[in-house]
Every structure is written in C-alpha cells, then in structure tokens.
Amino acid sequence: MWKLKSLVLICHVTLLNSVAQLCSVIYIYRLLLLSCLRSFFQIRFRIEKMDLPDIIKYPAIQVLGNNCYTSLVEQLNLSDVDCLKLLLSKGLSMGIVLGGALAKLPQIIKILSAHSARGLSLESYVLETFAMGISFSYNLRQGNPFSTYGEVAFLTLQNIIILLLILNYANRTRDLFASILVMIISTYTLGQPWIINDSNLAYLQALSIPISLLSKIPQIIANYQNGSTGQLSAFAIFGFTLGSVARIFTTLTEVDDLIILSGFILASIFNFVLSAQMIMYWNVDSKTKIIEKKD
C-alpha cells in the first residue's frame, strides 16, 4: 500500500513540476516578445530587470539552466542563439508531452462510442507498445530530460488501453488476460538493471526502432486493403506526424544520441504515409458512416 501511495505522490509532484515549468516557459516567451517589439518596432515601454516570483523563477532555471536564464530573462539577450534554441526546444518538448497525454484519448473514445475496433490492427499496437516500453526504459536509465521523452510514458499507457479494448471487442478474453500478465512481467524486467543491464538495454533500444517502424506497416496495409481508415483517429495520426518531426529538432538540441534521432527520422517518414492515407480515405470514411446510419 505504501508503495502505491509513494507512486501516486511522485506522479502528483511530477505533474505539478511540469505545469510550473510550462508556465515559466510561457512567461519567458512573453518577455522575449515584448523585447522584440521594443527592438524592432521601437515601441517605448518599460521592461525592467525583475526578481521573478519563486514559483516562476525556479522552474525556469530548472528548464533553461542558470546561464540561459540570466541571458534570456534578466538580460533579455535576443542574440544568444544557443539559449534561444534551447528555449524553443523546451517549449516544443512540453507541448509534445502534453499532446502525448491527450493524443490517443480521441481514439479510445471513438472505440468505446462505436463499441468496435474495426480497422485497427492488433499487430500494430502490440509491436508499438513493446517498442515504446523499451524506449521509455532506455531514456529513463540514460537520465535524459523528461521533457525529451515524457510523452512515451503517456502513449504507452494509452496504447495498453487500446490494445485491451481491441481484444475485448474481438471477444478474445483469454488473450486479454494473457496480455495483462505479459505487460506486468515486461515492465518489471525492463525496470531491473540486474536483469537487463544498460548495455543490453541500448541494444534493445536500437532494436525498438525497426520494431516501431514494423508496427506501422500492418496498419498501412490494413488501410490499403480496406480502402478505409476505419476507427483510426485523425487527431492521433496527424498529432503523431507533427510530434515526430518536432522531436527531431528537440533531440538534436537536447540529446546527443544517434539511436534516438534515427528512430524519430524514420518514424516521421512512416507517419507521413499514414497521414496521407487518412487524407486519401477521408471521404470514403464519411460515406461509410452514412451507410451505417441508414442500415
């Protein structure tokens, strides 16, 4: 029981800290915008060096570090390219993490509303969930900033829910319980360095890239064969495409890891294919819904 309470407390603290950091980044964007207006349009208004409230200052220093905080906030130095790139990367990262927390909720709602998972590939979700679990463990072990991979945690949880819903609506009860057991064992295994050390986990991370890409192929094939995207959520697909492209920039800026960068570049290509299918079959799905309503 105490472990569960500790986990809940950690989640609350992490969430509050992330919100505080997001607010501080927005505040810094506001300061820099005012500075740009003053510089380029020669508008006269007073921007003084301020001793910001601790609730904004400390999260901002956590996000940017002391040097960039001093340069951007206290000195309003718009010529500091490195710090501006870091600020942009942090803003994008937090947006991606927030988007990841919401990305597949429309997909879950769509399945529950239709009482069907028609058009969704079980194989795709199994492979994708496995790859995301490895990616989350790898980033956590490497000590990478949470802002560079936080969405993976939320997406993994949402993927598990969708996977279980697919099995449930396919009346595969035995597979459903077996999947839950496998997920529990996998989570424990990936979280124990004495079972999988950091070196082996790096190999698994490299392996997760082709697994993640392969997870998209069954869905692409299913869309092509059906001539429709079925219950696939447009919000999720377009969100993933934009997010994977943005992650290329944040990885280049904040994480010096070729394995992770390669994964995001290749994922972007496959996400563009799924987005293209979503656009191609948009009218087909609309006609299908009309026919279903008539029936």
Side-chain angles (χ1 to χ4, degrees):
M1 181 63 71
W2 66 270
K3 288 184 178 180
L4 180 60
K5 289 181 178 178
S6 299
L7 181 60
V8 171
L9 180 60
I10 291 169
C11 290
H12 284 169
V13 171
T14 303
L15 179 60
L16 289 173
N17 189 51
S18 299
V19 171
Q21 288 181 352
L22 180 60
C23 291
S24 67
V25 167
I26 293 171
Y27 189 87
I28 294 169
Y29 280 144
R30 174 181 170 273
L31 282 179
L32 294 177
L33 179 61
L34 291 175
S35 182
C36 286
L37 289 172
R38 182 183 64 179
S39 300
F40 295 110
F41 297 101
Q42 298 178 347
I43 298 175
R44 292 188 177 183
F45 49 80
R46 199 173 176 184
I47 303 177
E48 297 179 347
K49 177 181 175 179
M50 293 181 293
D51 186 14
L52 298 178
D54 290 347
I55 195 172
I56 295 176
K57 182 177 180 179
Y58 292 142
I61 292 174
Q62 268 188 316
V63 171
L64 298 174
N66 283 307
N67 292 336
C68 284
Y69 175 83
T70 302
S71 177
L72 296 178
V73 178
E74 295 185 353
Q75 298 174 357
L76 290 174
N77 181 9
L78 295 175
S79 61
D80 193 337
V81 177
D82 289 337
C83 286
L84 287 173
K85 283 174 63 179
L86 180 61
L87 177 63
L88 176 59
S89 177
K90 290 294 185 183
L92 284 172
S93 291
M94 290 176 184
I96 293 169
V97 172
L98 179 61
L102 304 172
K104 296 206 173 185
L105 289 181
Q107 182 69 78
I108 294 170
I109 293 169
K110 196 170 183 180
I111 294 171
L112 291 172
S113 299
H115 300 288
S116 167
R118 182 184 66 84
L120 271 66
S121 170
L122 176 63
E123 293 80 5
S124 286
Y125 276 96
V126 169
L127 291 171
E128 188 178 62
T129 304
F130 181 66
M132 283 183 174
I134 293 172
S135 181
F136 177 74
S137 299
Y138 176 77
N139 278 281
L140 191 64
R141 295 262 200 101
Q142 289 294 108
N144 293 332
F146 184 76
S147 61
T148 62
Y149 69 92
E151 76 279 3
V152 177
F154 296 112
L155 290 172
T156 302
L157 289 173
Q158 292 170 80
N159 258 19
I160 289 171
I161 293 171
I162 293 171
L163 181 59
L164 296 179
L165 285 173
I166 293 173
L167 291 171
N168 178 60
Y169 285 119
N171 295 319
R172 296 170 62 173
T173 308
R174 184 179 297 176
D175 291 340
L176 190 150
F177 285 108
S179 298
I180 293 173
L181 182 61
V182 169
M183 288 171 195
I184 293 171
I185 295 171
S186 300
T187 301
Y188 179 79
T189 303
L190 289 170
Q192 301 300 319
W194 63 273
I195 298 177
I196 301 178
N197 60 35
D198 291 346
S199 177
N200 289 333
L201 191 59
Y203 287 121
L204 285 176
Q205 172 63 19
L207 183 64
S208 74
I209 295 174
I211 291 174
S212 179
L213 297 178
L214 284 171
S215 73
K216 300 180 188 301
I217 293 176
Q219 187 65 65
I220 291 171
I221 293 172
N223 292 342
Y224 176 75
Q225 290 177 340
N226 296 333
S228 163
T229 54
Q231 299 301 327
L232 205 59
S233 169
F235 178 84
I237 295 299
F238 294 140
F240 277 135
T241 303
L242 294 174
S244 59
V245 172
R247 272 293 176 224
I248 295 173
F249 174 76
T250 63
T251 303
L252 285 169
T253 305
E254 299 183 58
V255 181
D256 184 18
D257 195 312
L258 184 60
I259 296 175
I260 294 175
L261 178 62
S262 301
F264 284 126
I265 291 173
L266 293 170
S268 297
I269 296 171
F270 280 77
N271 284 334
F272 272 115
V273 174
L274 284 168
S275 294
Q277 286 185 321
M278 184 63 70
I279 294 169
M280 284 171 57
Y281 299 132
W282 192 276
N283 291 330
V284 174
D285 287 335
S286 298
K287 289 175 183 177
T288 302
K289 289 176 184 176
I290 292 170
I291 292 169
E292 287 176 352
K293 285 181 181 179
K294 286 182 179 178
D295 292 341

